[in-house]
Every structure is written in structure tokens, then in C-alpha cells.
Amino acid sequence: MKKTLLVLSALTIGISSVITPVTATAALPQSVNNQQVPSLAPMLEQVTPAVVSIAVEGKQVSKQRLPETFRFFFGPDFPEEQIRERPFRGLGSGVIVDADKGYIVTNHHVIGGADKILVQLHDGREVSAELIGSDEMSDIALLKLKDVSDLTEIKLADSDKLRVGDFAVAIGNPFGLGQTVTSGIISALGRSGLNIENFENFIQTDAAINSGNSGGALVNLNGELVGINTAILGPNGGNVGIGFAIPVNMVKNLTEQIIEFGEVKRGILGVQGGELTSELAEAFGYETNHGAFINQVMPDSAAEKAGLKAGDIIVSVNGKQIRTFGELRAKIATLGAGKDVSLGIVRDGKELDVTAKLQEASINKVKADSLHEGLAGAEFANTTSKDNAKGVKVTSLQENSEAARYGLREGDIILGVNRQPIRNLGELRKALDKKPSVLALEVKRDNSILYLIIR
């Protein structure tokens, strides 16, 4: 039977099941044989104020290709596609990680496409939030609350120290019911290959997770955050005891990059490989099948400069064991470009340690339509060292588009907006979030500097 993998979405949640009332029962005793009954209540009283509910509103834009018959009857000027906008509302959860700055971590899919983000705190206050940045490939987003005091933040654990069998508690807003707590254990670590996200290194838990728990907290018995709940495995979208969370160490790396750069500057090692099978392990003199097998090292990559070779088995990253190639890929991608990483490898049956300086992965391109209507038709990306300039590069441009009519050209590098320096996409996005009526773009074209005015 084919299993269905469901990513928790931020769509409106409708509850159609019948809620059956139950009769009251006698209260449980506080102690048995003069011994206190174990309870999670004291820990949860400290932690639950740091978990919030998130409501979003926005528009979903869809494109429908029209039949050629329409173009035959109405002429070549008739558009090939019909664009539709549909309003949507969604619910999810989030976790306060910095009370002083008002930072909240949630999933990208909770706030993706949202025009309005409203956060409900544990004490009932409702506050608007702004999006600082997000990363769709790892499904992490960072929000900031405006002008709010008396917040409670959650302490971060070291998710690399988790063990299968550790107790875990999930906190979130399932089905829009309000804050709910469920408990279980850590069922597995380093889960990948689920095709939920591009970079997968999930914590698996049997703590009940349902729609609306997305972006909520997975904590240990000390009340420390170990992961951000993100998905479930279930044929009908309901809890079957298999939920997944993004490890907090991975979340911390990503959010630090978003705060510093406005986006994730993904690191790359420059290797290709796969999972280590028992046959490969035996052939290469390795006793277990935990690790990532390298079958190719890319020329002039961080891996080649560090001395890695095809046939090496990477068994640890920064002293932490690696179980699969997917786990290696996720950890490297989220550590950040320019970081030094210590790799434990097995070569010809011998254990070695090497250090690599991660290079920057191919940067994500952004369609400028979502940034400003006057830039529609352009596609932007961060510059690289080859461009000899810090800014945002026009990587492609549609003919007769708004951006082209205003004078932008492919290869142009935007250095500033309205006299404000722009060094990356994050800074450009922040400058345009202010919705200025006129854009004065400082542009580097070949060896010249010019200004383009966009209204």
C-alpha cells in the first residue's frame, strides 16, 4: 500500500467531527503512598507562554493556460495564460526565541504568500508581525513582533545530543482549537528521503502532531526547544504517531543567517555521493553502515581543497556523528557559506580528520514581481565574487516588461535604493517593504554607475 506523506499546511482548518461530551470524574490524587505523582505541569507553566498561535491572510495566485482556440478567435494579442487570485486564510504555530527583539520562529509554509500575519500570545494579546526572512528549502521563517513587551522566550537545547527514547513534548495550535500539549518520545533521528523539503534531517516523534501544529515547539523534559514541528506521515492527514520536527541546531544556523543577511547563505562542500550500504562499508574497510559515501569530488570545490577523495566515507561533522548522506547534505547546507567545518572520514579503513571552508552554493533567484510592480519581468540574485561588486544582480529580463521599459538590463547590479546601500536580496526586500512611491536605483553597468528612476 502506498503511503501518503502530508506536509502540514497553513490552510483554513474546518472541524466537522462530532464532539461528544463526557461525564465528570473524580480528580486524580496529588500523591500516592506519600510520593508526589510525576507531572509535566511545572515545566509547561514555564514553557507554554513562549509558544504562540499564528493566523495569516493572503492571496494565492494561479496561472491557467488557455486553449489555442481562444488565440485563434481573438488574435495573437490574446494572453496565453489567465491569472487568478484567490484569498486564503491559514492557521499555524510559532515559538518565541528572543523576547527582547520579539523574534518568532515558524515554518515557511505557515506564512508563505501571506499579506497579513497576526500572532496571538499565550495571554490572549493579538499582535501584528512582520516577516524578517524565510527559507522555503528548509521550511523555516523568522518573524518579528512590533512594540511588544513582557514576552517569554524559550531556551534552546543542543539537538545533536538527542537520543532515541528521550521524552518529548509537542506544543501548538492543532485544528485552531488553541494551545494544546501532547507527549511522546523521540522515535528516530536523522530522517531524510521523505521528499517533504529539499534539506531533510528530521527528528521523528510519536507525540501527537496535527494540522495547525506547524511551526510549534518540540521540547524536552527540561523545557528546552529541541525542534520545530513541521510535518506528519498519515494517509488521511491525521496523527498516526509519526511526526517530524526540524532540529533546533539547524533552525539556529538558519535564523542567524536570516538576521545577518536577510536570507540564507547556503554552504556547499562540493561532493556527490549516496547512502553507505553494508556492502560498501565492508568493501572500504568500515565496520558499520553509518556515514555518507563520497563517489565524486567536484573540481576546485571546498572538498577538493580540504583533501577529500572519491571513496572516502564521512562519518562526522564538527564532532557529531553522521548517519546518512541526506543528513550530511542538510547539515552542510544550513551551516552557512564561509564556515569552517571539521569532517571525520574513513579512508582505507583508517580514521582521519580534515577541515573544509564551505563555499557559497548557487544562490536562489527571486522574481522581482513580488518586490515592486515597476520591477516586474526581472529576476534577481545576489552577486558573487566574480561580479566584483556587492549588490543584487539582474540575472534575466523579459522583453517589453515593466523593468525593461524603465531601463534595466540583464547583468545590471543594483547597488542602492533611494541613497540606501543594497548589498544583498534581504536588504533590497527590506528597502522595498517601505513601499516608496519613487525608486531611485543606483546601478552598476559594466564599468559605469547610473541612476534609474522607477515610479
Side-chain angles (χ1 to χ4, degrees):
M1 180 182 294
K2 184 177 179 182
K3 293 183 178 180
T4 302
L5 189 66
L6 173 68
V7 178
L8 298 186
S9 65
L11 299 177
T12 302
I13 301 167
I15 304 175
S16 58
S17 58
V18 177
I19 301 177
T20 305
V22 295
T23 57
T25 58
L28 292 174
Q30 295 296 314
S31 62
V32 177
N33 296 329
N34 295 321
Q35 292 185 350
Q36 193 72 20
V37 175
S39 175
L40 297 175
M43 178 271 287
L44 291 170
E45 288 171 356
Q46 302 297 318
V47 172
T48 49
V51 182
V52 302
S53 298
I54 298 175
V56 300
E57 296 179 10
K59 292 180 180 179
Q60 288 180 328
V61 179
S62 61
K63 294 182 180 180
Q64 181 180 4
R65 191 170 183 84
L66 299 176
E68 285 295 326
T69 310
F70 280 71
R71 292 175 58 78
F72 177 79
F73 282 109
F74 295 103
D77 294 332
F78 195 81
E80 295 183 5
E81 295 179 327
Q82 183 180 15
I83 300 177
R84 294 182 176 179
E85 291 187 352
R86 294 181 179 178
F88 74 88
R89 293 182 178 181
L91 296 173
S93 307
V95 183
I96 301 173
V97 293
D98 191 321
D100 293 334
K101 297 181 180 178
Y103 286 146
I104 292 176
V105 171
T106 186
N107 286 137
H108 169 84
H109 75 258
V110 169
I111 53 83
D115 299 319
K116 182 180 179 181
I117 304 173
L118 189 66
V119 172
Q120 185 177 49
L121 303 176
H122 184 259
D123 59 12
R125 287 179 292 169
E126 292 187 346
V127 188
S128 295
E130 63 175 329
L131 176 64
I132 300 300
S134 68
D135 182 45
E136 184 176 6
M137 299 181 76
S138 56
D139 201 16
I140 284 295
L142 184 68
L143 310 178
K144 182 179 175 63
L145 296 179
K146 305 174 182 177
D147 303 323
V148 184
S149 59
D150 298 326
L151 296 176
T152 299
E153 67 183 50
I154 197 166
K155 185 178 179 181
L156 307 186
D158 182 354
S159 54
D160 286 331
K161 293 182 178 179
L162 284 176
R163 299 178 300 171
V164 173
D166 285 348
F167 287 105
V169 178
I171 312 171
N173 178 29
F175 301 114
L177 290 171
Q179 192 173 87
T180 301
V181 177
T182 56
S183 66
I185 63 169
I186 302 299
S187 305
L189 296 167
R191 286 293 193 211
S192 60
L194 304 175
N195 298 319
I196 302 175
E197 298 163 7
N198 295 82
F199 300 108
E200 299 180 344
N201 178 29
F202 291 121
I203 301 166
Q204 181 181 324
T205 180
D206 65 348
I209 295 175
N210 290 285
S211 294
N213 273 108
S214 287
L218 187 69
V219 303
N220 60 24
L221 294 188
N222 293 323
E224 299 167 328
L225 185 70
V226 298
I228 296 294
N229 300 321
T230 189
I232 55 176
L233 183 66
N236 300 312
N239 171 61
V240 293
I242 302 178
F244 301 100
I246 302 170
V248 71
N249 287 5
M250 186 169 166
V251 173
K252 184 179 179 182
N253 287 332
L254 293 166
T255 53
E256 285 177 350
Q257 294 172 53
I258 290 172
I259 291 170
E260 184 176 357
F261 305 111
E263 62 167 351
V264 172
K265 297 180 77 68
R266 214 171 301 285
I268 188 171
L269 185 58
V271 297
Q272 292 184 358
E275 308 306 338
L276 181 64
T277 64
S278 56
E279 292 82 3
L280 274 174
E282 183 179 357
F284 284 85
Y286 188 46
E287 294 181 355
T288 72
N289 60 349
H290 285 170
F293 180 74
I294 306 303
N295 58 32
Q296 184 179 1
V297 176
M298 309 308 292
D300 199 33
S301 65
E304 184 184 61
K305 294 175 181 178
L308 286 175
K309 298 179 181 180
D312 285 348
I313 301 167
I314 299 180
V315 296
S316 68
V317 173
N318 291 335
K320 308 296 183 181
Q321 184 185 23
I322 289 294
R323 299 170 182 82
T324 65
F325 190 85
E327 185 178 357
L328 170 71
R329 183 171 176 266
K331 284 199 170 186
I332 292 297
T334 54
L335 279 174
K339 294 287 184 67
D340 289 327
V341 57
S342 175
L343 302 172
I345 66 172
V346 173
R347 178 183 297 164
D348 299 328
K350 298 179 180 179
E351 295 186 4
L352 304 172
D353 290 309
V354 299
T355 299
K357 190 178 187 65
L358 299 181
Q359 297 174 342
E360 186 170 358
S362 300
I363 30 67
N364 294 329
K365 295 180 179 179
V366 172
K367 290 187 176 180
D369 307 49
S370 61
L371 300 177
H372 191 282
E373 58 184 12
L375 301 174
E379 197 171 61
F380 294 152
N382 288 333
T383 54
T384 64
S385 57
K386 296 180 181 179
D387 295 312
N388 296 318
K390 275 283 187 181
V392 174
K393 187 173 184 178
V394 181
T395 56
S396 66
L397 189 68
Q398 296 177 5
E399 292 185 11
N400 300 320
S401 64
E402 284 295 310
R405 284 196 283 270
Y406 277 115
L408 270 181
R409 295 183 187 175
E410 187 172 330
D412 283 353
I413 298 175
I414 299 174
L415 303 177
V417 175
N418 295 348
R419 301 177 65 186
Q420 177 181 341
I422 299 297
R423 293 170 295 181
N424 52 53
L425 283 168
E427 293 184 357
L428 176 62
R429 187 177 291 109
K430 288 180 182 179
L432 298 183
D433 280 345
K434 299 176 183 176
K435 302 188 183 304
S437 57
V438 177
L439 300 183
L441 302 184
E442 182 184 356
V443 174
K444 180 178 183 292
R445 180 176 296 166
D446 298 325
N447 294 319
S448 301
I449 301 293
L450 58 105
Y451 278 87
L452 298 177
I453 307 301
I454 296 178
R455 301 181 184 276

